[in-house]
Amino acid sequence: MTDRPQYPTLAITALKRWAPPPALAGFMALLIVMFGVAYGVGASAGPVAPGMRSTEVESPGFVGDLGRPHGHSGGTGGTR
């Protein structure tokens, strides 16, 4: 009985060619785990400054103000 060499299929060969290196895959897994741990610690710690208010303006002082300091042309060079 003759033993035929087993050749990998085309799909396995293509998968091995396009698979990331093991070191890169391990590094990405480490980043994901560290992000998850940091998010969990931050969520359990709660807000840093609970009394802090948003800087969002409900209504501008006048139309066209857009919350910019007066005298700022917004990059248009002063011409509108």
Side-chain angles (χ1 to χ4, degrees):
M1 180 170 182
T2 60
D3 290 327
R4 290 182 14 188
Q6 295 181 359
Y7 295 106
T9 63
L10 184 61
I12 293 174
T13 305
L15 182 63
K16 285 183 180 181
R17 181 182 308 160
W18 292 104
L24 179 62
F27 179 70
M28 293 302 291
L30 179 66
L31 281 177
I32 291 169
V33 168
M34 292 300 291
F35 178 78
V37 169
Y39 183 81
V41 169
S44 67
V48 176
M52 186 177 283
R53 299 282 185 239
S54 172
T55 59
E56 205 171 296
V57 177
E58 291 182 18
S59 62
F62 59 91
V63 177
D65 182 20
L66 299 177
R68 292 189 296 236
H70 296 285
H72 180 67
S73 62
T76 59
T79 60
R80 289 194 169 194

